[in-house]
Amino acid sequence: MLSDSTSPSESLSDLRKKYHERICSQIVWIKPEGYPNFADSSSKSSRDIASGVLKEMGCSHFRQAHLSDQQTGKLFEELTRDFIYEAFRLLNHLRPGKWIHSAEAISKFDQYEHLAEVERMVRENQELASIFGIDYIIKPDIIIARVPVSDDEINKEGTLLDLNHNIVRYSPLRSKEGSKPILHASISCKWTIRSDRSQNIRTEAMNLIRNRKGHTPHIVAVTAEPLPTRIASLALGTGDLDCVYHMALHELEIAVKNNEDQQEMLHTLIAGKRLRDISDLPFDLAV
């Protein structure tokens, strides 16, 4: 749980720097050819830009051993989760409340609890399964959820709710028997983006949008992909993802200065409000 009483001991810049240091020491390793493992070996632009981003990040310690793609993705998810939770906690005065995080399927939250029954019915009926499919319940990489508030909390500063009056019976924010947390944000993590790796994020996003009962949570993605043209495959367009966040956008802006095509695409994504830095994410989650 993200405590609402934690006093800030670090600035957001401190947390961002620590995030980068942890990524470098735990995930990044330099290939024998001299470029980092988040570059595409078949693309000179990718190799050059990734090396430039790493230089601007100012890291000095890197992994010495190779990681599998699965291990890399899992570590990136864990380090990004830690940064988001710590940074979001610092903004508690801007977005007060009790917040939780856990690795849970979306059916554990108020807007999607009905999906557990829907999926059960579909799985038991082959005809329904052939029509609708069975992938209703997804498990986001990172979640933030709001804990419903008790009547005592609601009336803490005065009688906002007269318990003798039969009102506010259905809002999920008011705690009652059987209440579930309210899904506030679903965050996907992609260490790199290849041509086939962005579609599952869009599919999950549309699942969250179409199958909700209640408000739509924030739906975002975080990546370390060095090529803006590949980030564009996920970031361009509207209607599914709120925005894409780069682990080191400011460093990426410097690294693409000598690549006109990539620089132009990066400018398009930033100016079009489709790409932001990881440090922007906790503020956007406070909206």
Side-chain angles (χ1 to χ4, degrees):
M1 179 176 291
L2 302 181
S3 171
D4 57 2
S5 62
T6 301
S7 60
S9 58
E10 295 178 288
S11 71
L12 196 58
S13 293
D14 293 332
L15 290 181
R16 187 176 185 272
K17 182 178 180 181
K18 183 173 73 172
Y19 174 58
H20 286 170
E21 289 173 346
R22 294 183 70 193
I23 285 175
C24 288
S25 63
Q26 297 182 43
I27 302 179
V28 175
W29 58 282
I30 308 302
K31 296 188 176 183
E33 296 82 3
Y35 56 86
N37 62 325
F38 57 99
D40 184 348
S41 60
S42 65
S43 168
K44 184 178 185 303
S45 292
S46 181
R47 298 194 302 269
D48 290 346
I49 294 171
S51 297
V53 168
L54 200 59
K55 178 183 177 182
E56 294 301 325
M57 286 170 65
C59 299
S60 56
H61 301 288
F62 307 105
R63 280 194 65 88
Q64 299 302 310
H66 169 79
L67 286 173
S68 69
D69 289 346
Q70 185 176 14
Q71 290 172 317
T72 299
K74 188 65 176 176
L75 260 176
F76 183 56
E77 175 186 320
E78 290 174 359
L79 299 184
T80 301
R81 177 199 61 204
D82 290 347
F83 169 81
I84 292 170
Y85 293 160
E86 291 177 35
F88 191 60
R89 183 167 52 209
L90 296 183
L91 302 182
N92 192 259
H93 61 295
L94 301 180
R95 196 63 155 87
K98 293 182 179 179
W99 305 91
I100 62 172
H101 60 83
S102 58
E104 298 283 0
I106 59 174
S107 58
K108 300 293 184 181
F109 302 99
D110 177 77
Q111 305 99 303
Y112 303 98
E113 61 178 329
H114 61 286
L115 292 184
E117 179 63 16
V118 171
E119 187 170 61
R120 184 192 65 76
M121 294 172 61
V122 171
R123 286 185 181 277
E124 292 177 356
N125 188 308
Q126 291 186 348
E127 184 175 352
L128 288 177
S130 67
I131 297 172
F132 298 107
I134 58 174
D135 297 324
Y136 283 94
I137 300 181
I138 63 174
K139 189 176 181 180
D141 294 334
I142 301 171
I143 68 97
I144 294 179
R146 176 71 188 269
V147 178
V149 294
S150 68
D151 288 349
D152 287 343
E153 292 176 277
I154 293 172
N155 289 330
K156 183 177 180 180
E157 297 184 5
T159 307
L160 179 63
L161 281 179
D162 185 336
L163 303 186
N164 294 319
H165 294 170
N166 196 21
I167 61 172
V168 193
R169 296 170 58 194
Y170 306 114
S171 173
L173 184 58
R174 184 183 183 186
S175 180
K176 59 187 75 70
E177 185 178 354
S179 287
K180 293 184 180 296
I182 305 160
L183 187 61
H184 180 70
S186 170
I187 303 165
S188 297
C189 294
K190 287 292 183 184
W191 177 241
T192 58
I193 299 173
R194 302 297 179 256
S195 60
D196 61 337
R197 292 185 182 175
S198 60
Q199 294 311 307
N200 64 328
I201 293 181
R202 291 187 182 277
T203 299
E204 289 183 358
M206 294 311 297
N207 184 314
L208 287 164
I209 294 169
R210 292 172 178 170
N211 293 313
R212 76 193 189 283
K213 287 187 177 181
H215 78 85
T216 306
H218 292 276
I219 306 173
V220 307
V222 179
T223 187
E225 172 60 48
L227 284 179
T229 50
R230 287 186 177 168
I231 297 173
S233 70
L234 184 59
L236 282 182
T238 57
D240 39 27
L241 295 179
D242 297 1
C243 191
V244 175
Y245 296 81
H246 197 274
M247 70 155 186
L249 182 59
H250 309 319
E251 292 78 2
L252 180 60
E253 289 182 86
I254 296 172
V256 301
K257 282 187 175 179
N258 294 324
N259 189 313
E260 186 175 341
D261 290 341
Q262 296 297 333
Q263 185 181 40
E264 182 179 353
M265 177 54 75
L266 185 63
H267 174 74
T268 297
L269 293 174
I270 296 173
K273 300 182 180 180
R274 303 306 300 147
L275 181 64
R276 296 174 182 169
D277 182 68
I278 188 69
S279 61
D280 293 304
L281 180 51
F283 280 86
D284 290 348
L285 294 178
V287 172

